[in-house]
């Protein structure tokens, strides 16, 4: 019988949450295909990880003892070997930075199509994946031909697998080829003067501000509200604000009482950092901007008109 | 050393748009150089300026319209361009493998030492082509690179890969390699007037499938878009109506209620 294989992700000694979400997505797919769900864990404390990965719905765990941290060569070799050994019809991986560093190569290796950043998966005769396009302004359903696929799943779309299961745990021997890419270390970035994660109220500015000079306007708003200034990535990439002000997947995760997004579209990587805010306010000219989907209050309007009025209200 | 940069022309939807069939209406789309590729072009041109790269060639899969975007890359300093297109590619939705088929054929002709591309395309958001290409052509790779230092003599690229949550991974990648680059890697330049003039004289070589020794069957896509729709908003956002003054006034009330500005 065809099986479904999920590969776990961990960093610096801890499994990452997306792993458990991928397990849920993998279980759904396995149910639709009447298949077993296998989980691979590669590198690090594989025995400890294997115990943690034994959640409800997992049939078998395969531990590949190789290295401490993520190495795309080892991951690709291990998952590819296991996929063949287990006759896996689908491989499900987190759509994380590391997932994207080997899922496409794995798919090439397996001769299977790859579909990344899935927000929904249906299986009925064949695979249909739901994805977003055009900066999350539209959703699409995509039919995938063939009977073997590699799918990466977006974080936060599936509930994490819970409970305690009764999976078999095996040590898997895999030949790992010599790698031409070697991890030499890690570096923490950010630091700096303020910790935006501590703020109760954030005024967050995005590319809608257009010019560095215009930042003054949102600084004034932050002052008037007694708020801290944060930003989306392009503002930081431009060097207009330091990295420690960046909210998002590759920046900080923030959970203030009030988050005011000014000229921010609400790209998935930005939302990943602020969706836990108590109250979200969005000011944006584009009524279709995805930020409105998670906002509690929205103003569809030009920030250059609205923000000065708002400053006046609090002056 | 020769650097090949994969450059994509991406479509962006207007604020108001209509969906026709399984795509956004052509009249509601605007085309531009993919943001992430702009950083890749800049990185390549900087390698040329540092005397590390001898030639920077861009490769694009796209119809004639894409030449506008390609000229932008040429104006910023790329030496010449290859544009791949074929009527067989129109209409369908190309999957990663079929794009890799095309790029593989170009790589065979160009024999680059380093391939740079954006980490993802803004329109489809697949984020997969570079890494899949590396596997196909037997190059090393690294994805989501936000710091690059090429040691050509040692045949190594020292890179930082940007992980989630403000952590970077330091990696040494043997050349030849494919690197997918992240925004923030550098500061992409604006095209100068002189650059724009010069770009007019630079070569954009058009190639179709037969030029690359490929058949339409070989590049057939495994993916078909079956539906496109505006996502149902799960939000219960209260949209505050009125002109700027009125809406700011109402928002101020809401914020005060939440204890802001107190
Ligand atoms: C691996 C990876 C990691 C990433 N990590 C992060 C991250 O940590 N944080 C992050 O933010 N991004 C991150 N990104 C980038 C992300 O995909 C988006 O590119 C980015 O969030 C867009 O920022 P923005 O909303 O400011 O700009 P845009 O998407 O350009 O949006 C600007 C918005 O401003 C509006 N606007 C324009 N003019 C006005 C006006 N006058 N008044 C009001 N509104 C106006 C527009 O309608 C638009 O909605 C990451 C991307 C990748 C691939």
């Amino acid at each position: 019988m065809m099986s479904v294989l999920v590969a776990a992700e961990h960093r610096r000694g801890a499994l990452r949450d997306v792993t458990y979400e991928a397990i849920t997505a993998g279980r759904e797919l396995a149910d639709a295909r009447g298949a077993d769900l296998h989980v691979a864990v590669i590198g690090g404390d594989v025995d400890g990880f294997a115990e943690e990965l034994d959640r409800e719905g997992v049939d078998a765990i395969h531990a590949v003892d190789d290295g401490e941290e993520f190495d795309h060569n080892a991951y690709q070799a291990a998952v590819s070997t296991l996929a063949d050994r287990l006759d896996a019809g689908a491989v499900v991986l987190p759509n994380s930075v590391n997932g994207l560093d080997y899922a496409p190569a794995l798919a090439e290796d397996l001769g299977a199509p790859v579909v990344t950043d899935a927000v929904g998966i249906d299986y009925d005769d064949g695979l249909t994946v739901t994805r977003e396009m055009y900066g999350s302004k539209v959703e699409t359903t995509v039919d995938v031909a063939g009977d073997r696929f590699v799918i990466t799943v977006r974080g936060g779309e599936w509930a994490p697998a819970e409970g305690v299961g009764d999976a078999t745990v095996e040590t898997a021997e895999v030949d790992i080829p010599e790698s031409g890419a070697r991890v030499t270390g890690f570096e923490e970035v950010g630091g700096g003067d303020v910790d935006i994660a501590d703020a109760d109220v954030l005024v967050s500015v995005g590319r809608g501000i257009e010019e560095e000079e215009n930042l003054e306007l949102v600084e004034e708003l932050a002052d008037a509200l007694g708020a801290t200034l944060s930003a989306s990535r392009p503002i930081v990439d431009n060097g207009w604000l330091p990295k420690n002000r960046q909210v998002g997947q590759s920046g900080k995760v923030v959970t203030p009482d009030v988050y005011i997004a000014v000229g921010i579209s609400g790209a998935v990587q930005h939302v990943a950092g602020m969706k836990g805010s108590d109250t979200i306010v969005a000011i944006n000219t584009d009524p279709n901007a995805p930020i409105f989907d998670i906002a509690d209050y929205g103003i569809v309007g030009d920030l250059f008109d609205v923000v000065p009025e708002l400053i006046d209200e609090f002056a | 050393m020769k650097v090949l940069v994969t450059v994509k022309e991406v479509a962006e939807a207007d604020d108001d748009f209509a969906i026709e069939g399984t795509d956004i209406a052509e009249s509601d789309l605007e085309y531009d150089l993919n943001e992430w590729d702009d950083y890749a072009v800049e990185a390549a041109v900087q390698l040329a300026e540092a005397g590390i790269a001898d030639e920077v060639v861009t490769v694009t899969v796209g119809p004639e319209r894409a030449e506008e975007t390609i000229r932008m890359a040429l104006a910023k300093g790329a030496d010449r361009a290859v544009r791949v297109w074929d009527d067989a590619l129109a209409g369908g939705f190309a999957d990663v493998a079929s794009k890799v088929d095309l790029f593989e054929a170009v790589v065979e002709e160009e024999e680059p030492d380093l391939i740079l591309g954006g980490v993802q395309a803004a329109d489809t958001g697949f984020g997969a082509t570079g890494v899949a290409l590396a596997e196909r052509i037997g190059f090393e790779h690294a994805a989501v690179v936000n710091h690059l230092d090429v040691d050509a003599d040692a045949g190594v690229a020292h890179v930082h890969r940007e992980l989630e949550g403000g952590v970077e991974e330091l990696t040494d990648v043997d050349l030849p390699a494919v690197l997918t680059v992240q925004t923030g890697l550098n500061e992409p330049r604006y095209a100068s007037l002189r650059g724009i003039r010069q770009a007019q004289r630079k070569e954009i070589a058009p190639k179709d499938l037969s030029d690359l020794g490929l058949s339409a069957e070989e590049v057939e896509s495994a993916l078909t878009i079956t539906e496109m729709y505006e996502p149902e908003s799960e939000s219960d956002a209260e949209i505050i109506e009125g002109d700027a003054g009125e809406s700011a006034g109402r928002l101020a009330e809401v914020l005060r209620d939440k204890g802001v500005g107190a």
Side-chain angles (χ1 to χ4, degrees):
Chain A
M1 194 209 302
M2 277 221 170
S3 59
V4 173
L5 177 62
V6 170
E9 181 165 321
H10 57 85
R11 188 184 302 153
R12 296 167 145 188
L15 287 162
R16 303 193 64 233
D17 294 345
V18 281
T19 300
Y20 300 110
E21 298 168 13
I23 288 175
T24 302
R27 184 67 253 171
E28 276 176 20
L29 191 54
D31 285 343
R33 302 185 80 174
D36 284 343
L37 178 66
H38 296 257
V39 175
V41 59
I42 303 139
D45 173 19
V46 284
D47 296 330
F49 290 153
E51 237 169 83
E52 284 181 66
L53 287 166
D54 187 7
R55 304 257 163 137
E56 250 166 63
V58 177
D59 294 300
I61 296 164
H62 306 268
V64 179
D65 195 1
D66 183 274
E68 275 308 304
E69 292 291 344
F70 175 77
D71 165 344
H72 61 225
N73 262 291
Y75 272 60
Q76 183 186 329
V79 177
S80 169
T81 304
L82 286 170
D84 281 339
R85 234 179 248 170
L86 302 166
D87 190 20
V91 178
V92 179
L93 307 175
N95 191 70
S96 57
V97 168
N98 283 343
L100 291 177
D101 194 46
Y102 81 108
L106 173 72
E108 252 311 299
D109 191 356
L110 295 174
V114 59
V115 187
T116 59
D117 205 17
V119 298
I121 301 176
D122 276 303
Y123 191 90
D124 180 17
D125 286 342
L127 178 72
T128 302
V129 177
T130 307
R131 300 182 79 252
E132 293 178 341
M133 262 179 79
Y134 298 114
S136 300
K137 285 190 183 177
V138 298
E139 217 163 83
T140 60
T141 53
V142 183
D143 280 1
V144 189
D147 48 20
R148 193 180 217 191
F149 342 93
V150 175
I151 307 162
T152 70
V153 293
R154 177 178 292 184
E157 295 292 324
W158 280 269
E162 291 181 349
V164 179
D166 53 2
T168 58
V169 178
E170 283 163 41
T171 308
E173 298 298 330
V174 175
D175 277 337
I176 309 274
E178 181 97 10
S179 181
R182 299 160 298 277
V183 177
T184 59
F186 293 91
E187 209 171 275
E188 239 35 85
V189 287
D193 49 341
V194 285
D195 190 353
I196 56 172
D198 287 343
D200 295 328
V201 184
L202 284 172
V203 170
S204 208
V205 58
R207 184 142 52 187
I209 199 71
E210 287 171 10
E211 309 264 343
E212 186 171 12
E213 295 83 79
N214 299 337
L215 274 186
E216 242 173 74
L217 184 63
V218 280
E219 272 162 9
E220 243 179 89
L221 177 62
D223 279 349
L225 300 180
T228 303
L229 190 64
S230 59
S232 70
R233 175 169 195 131
I235 304 300
V236 173
D237 283 342
N238 285 343
W240 298 351
L241 284 175
K243 180 84 187 172
N244 63 334
R245 302 277 179 155
Q246 182 180 318
V247 172
Q249 175 190 309
S250 46
K252 282 245 160 79
V253 174
V254 297
T255 51
D257 299 334
V258 178
Y259 187 90
I260 307 175
V262 182
I264 292 177
S265 64
V268 54
Q269 298 94 349
H270 184 80
V271 168
M274 45 68 75
K275 59 172 186 261
S277 307
D278 265 356
T279 300
I280 297 170
V281 179
I283 303 172
N284 198 306
T285 43
D286 178 1
N288 288 307
I291 190 78
F292 287 120
D293 293 340
I294 58 153
D296 299 290
Y297 298 91
I299 295 181
V300 178
D302 191 326
L303 74 93
F304 295 105
D305 298 331
V306 176
V307 171
E309 296 281 352
L310 197 54
I311 293 170
D312 280 350
E313 291 284 339
F314 285 89
Chain B
M1 177 165 115
K2 190 194 234 181
V3 182
L4 186 69
V5 189
T6 57
V7 167
K8 192 181 182 200
E9 182 192 62
V10 295
E12 192 186 330
D14 292 340
D15 287 358
D16 284 312
F17 62 86
I19 293 171
E20 283 174 4
T22 56
D23 208 345
I24 289 178
E26 183 63 36
S27 55
D28 297 335
L29 292 175
E30 273 174 56
Y31 294 91
D32 203 351
L33 171 62
N34 183 37
E35 184 182 354
W36 284 268
D37 298 350
D38 199 13
Y39 288 77
V41 169
E42 179 63 34
V45 171
Q46 285 186 11
L47 286 172
E49 286 169 346
I52 296 170
D54 312 310
E55 196 183 19
V56 175
V57 182
T58 67
V59 53
T60 302
V61 177
E64 209 172 333
R65 185 199 58 228
E67 295 203 355
E68 219 179 295
T69 294
I70 297 171
R71 293 263 178 234
M72 215 147 38
L74 293 172
K76 291 178 180 214
D79 296 299
R80 61 187 172 82
V82 177
R83 179 178 65 83
V84 180
W85 194 243
D86 200 285
D87 288 343
L89 300 170
F93 182 79
D95 65 0
V96 174
S98 59
K99 274 188 234 160
V100 168
D101 290 331
L102 302 171
F103 285 139
E104 179 190 24
V106 173
V107 168
E108 266 165 28
E109 281 188 7
E110 296 287 344
E111 300 185 332
D113 305 284
L114 177 65
I115 301 175
L116 301 175
V119 65
Q120 66 171 20
D123 48 6
T124 62
F126 252 76
T129 308
V131 171
L133 175 63
E135 174 69 17
R136 177 80 67 86
I137 62 179
F139 280 26
E140 292 297 335
H141 75 262
V144 200
V145 166
N146 70 347
H147 177 86
L148 170 63
D149 173 16
V150 175
D151 184 343
D153 294 332
V156 176
H158 304 285
V159 307
H160 291 200
R161 293 183 56 237
E162 183 191 82
L163 306 179
E164 292 85 357
V167 179
E168 295 182 3
E169 178 200 277
L170 283 51
T171 303
D172 289 345
V173 188
D174 292 343
L175 300 178
V178 181
L179 306 177
T180 70
V181 314
Q182 172 65 303
T183 57
L185 173 70
N186 50 38
E187 246 181 84
R189 68 194 67 194
Y190 289 99
S192 66
L193 271 175
R194 184 158 158 272
I196 292 170
R197 264 202 315 276
Q198 284 174 340
Q200 293 307 320
R201 291 193 299 274
K202 290 181 180 172
E203 179 197 355
I204 301 179
K207 307 246 182 218
D208 61 16
L209 288 180
S210 66
D211 293 328
L212 297 174
L214 293 166
S215 68
E217 292 76 51
E218 278 173 280
V219 297
E220 214 169 309
S221 174
L223 306 186
T224 313
I225 296 186
T226 44
E227 260 188 276
M228 181 178 287
Y229 46 88
E230 287 190 48
E232 240 175 78
S233 171
E234 290 144 30
S235 100
D236 37 13
E238 178 186 334
I239 300 295
I240 300 172
E241 311 280 350
D243 65 24
E246 289 157 8
S247 56
R250 166 82 186 107
L251 179 57
E253 274 172 43
V254 169
L255 292 175
R256 281 207 184 88
D257 268 358
K258 309 264 170 207
V260 177

